[in-house]
Amino acid sequence: MRNRRLTTVAALGAAASLALAGCASDGAGGTIELAGGGSDAAGGGDKGTITLGFLPSWTDGLSTAYLLQDQLEKLGYTVEMNTLTEAGPLYTGLAQGDVDVFPSAWPEITHAEYMATYGDSIEDLGTYYDNAKLTIAVPEYTDIDSIDELAAASDRFDGKIYGIEPGAGLTGQTQKMMPEYGLDGSYELVTSSTAAMLTELKSATENEKDIVVTLWRPFWANDAYPVKDLEDPKGAMGEAEGLHFLGTKGFAEEFPEAAELIEKIKLDDAQYGSLEDLVVNEYGEGREAEAVDAWLEEHGSEFDWVVD
């Protein structure tokens, strides 16, 4: 059994001078409580120690952090897992070298403010997914395909769009979108939590009822539930962006073999959705390494970068 170590970079919390701009809880909600870290003996890699910084409630970063840990340890590195609660401290730690790699960043649009502040001290190690976006979704069986069809169909959806946390970036973007399509008078954006939205989505799809929800990609729910993104002809939900692996400046020079591996990692929707679903749902907290093992057994042969 590979040794795993979780540590917490609590000291970086004081450095958070920027408001949380990106997606958060389960990839797109608000801030979370500081995740505590148990500690085992660190892995016995002889090529140096690499710290991965991530927010456990952002399940894109959670999933790719454990994937990177698996692969980097197999290359011979010792990997430390640093959990934080907000993007600001994470970017600060990355820029200062307290964190070596941020395994799932949204630097092009969602985290552009952080990049403007810290970008000179950060190294882009590659884009692993190129279609990250905020979406409005309905069940596959609903005969509506575009956001501009919603205004005339508010009765079918009880005049509700089910969203996530009130402070999430996705919530703010949806609030900007609604008047663009004339939905602010006929729809209420119901916000509470990601879990509550998913409960409504699960209940509706199990009973084949119509529902409108706010979602994003990549996110395991797109794979777990029969949903489809509505077309957004006005672009009111924002453009798609890439998910990047970011390193502290000088990372590739210090860890060239690790940087070469990281640059090769590319995932499509099905591959990413399967990884996240295994890590978050099927195996869950405390069994992330087992989830990665299962995912690699199923999908490893599809890639030329996998280290066995």
Side-chain angles (χ1 to χ4, degrees):
M1 185 72 179
R2 291 184 297 276
N3 291 320
R4 308 283 171 179
R5 185 165 83 171
L6 287 173
T7 58
T8 303
V9 190
L12 291 178
S17 58
L18 295 174
L20 181 64
C23 298
S25 177
D26 286 348
T31 59
I32 61 168
E33 296 301 318
L34 185 64
S39 178
D40 299 314
D46 59 4
K47 294 183 179 179
T49 299
I50 295 174
T51 61
L52 306 180
F54 64 101
L55 284 67
S57 70
W58 295 14
T59 53
D60 54 315
L62 173 73
S63 303
T64 50
Y66 281 96
L67 175 61
L68 281 189
Q69 183 185 42
D70 176 278
Q71 292 294 285
L72 292 174
E73 286 183 349
K74 287 175 179 174
L75 280 178
Y77 295 97
T78 294
V79 177
E80 294 183 353
M81 305 287 270
N82 295 317
T83 60
L84 296 95
T85 62
E86 296 190 19
L90 181 47
Y91 275 91
T92 301
L94 193 63
Q96 293 178 347
D98 297 306
V99 171
D100 291 312
V101 177
F102 180 3
S104 186
W106 302 56
E108 299 170 14
I109 300 172
T110 306
H111 293 164
E113 183 179 0
Y114 295 122
M115 292 301 291
T117 302
Y118 301 111
D120 289 344
S121 299
I122 291 174
E123 193 171 301
D124 193 338
L125 301 176
T127 304
Y128 75 87
Y129 180 87
D130 60 7
N131 195 37
K133 59 183 178 180
L134 307 179
T135 67
I136 302 298
V138 298
E140 291 177 346
Y141 50 76
T142 299
D143 60 348
I144 284 179
D145 298 307
S146 177
I147 297 175
D148 60 10
E149 298 178 64
L150 288 176
S154 61
D155 289 346
R156 291 180 58 179
F157 301 100
D158 295 325
K160 294 179 180 179
I161 299 173
Y162 288 93
I164 56 171
E165 289 76 8
L170 173 57
T171 298
Q173 193 66 40
T174 303
Q175 290 168 334
K176 294 177 183 178
M177 173 277 294
M178 291 176 70
E180 291 289 318
Y181 286 100
L183 305 181
D184 48 340
S186 53
Y187 281 86
E188 172 193 4
L189 178 59
V190 180
T191 61
S192 58
S193 69
T194 300
M197 179 275 291
L198 291 175
T199 296
E200 294 289 344
L201 179 60
K202 182 175 185 292
S203 175
T205 54
E206 286 179 346
N207 292 285
E208 293 197 6
K209 293 183 177 180
D210 291 324
I211 188 172
V212 186
V213 297
T214 63
L215 282 177
W216 60 95
R217 292 183 180 275
F219 184 37
W220 60 264
N222 294 290
D223 189 56
Y225 299 105
V227 294
K228 63 181 178 181
D229 298 340
L230 291 181
E231 295 175 8
D232 179 13
K234 298 179 183 291
M237 291 301 292
E239 299 298 321
E241 62 182 306
L243 295 187
H244 295 238
F245 294 116
L246 297 183
T248 191
K249 194 173 183 65
F251 178 86
E253 183 177 356
E254 183 176 0
F255 304 106
E257 193 174 356
E260 183 179 358
L261 167 71
I262 290 170
E263 185 180 13
K264 291 179 180 178
I265 297 175
K266 309 292 179 187
L267 303 175
D268 63 24
D269 279 312
Q271 292 160 348
Y272 176 83
S274 174
L275 172 64
E276 191 178 36
D277 190 37
L278 284 169
V279 171
V280 176
N281 297 315
E282 294 195 34
Y283 284 81
E285 186 176 358
R287 300 181 64 198
E288 294 90 351
E290 295 176 61
V292 170
D293 288 340
W295 184 81
L296 287 170
E297 184 175 350
E298 180 180 355
H299 293 281
S301 62
E302 300 171 15
F303 310 108
D304 61 4
W305 49 262
V306 170
V307 183
D308 295 323

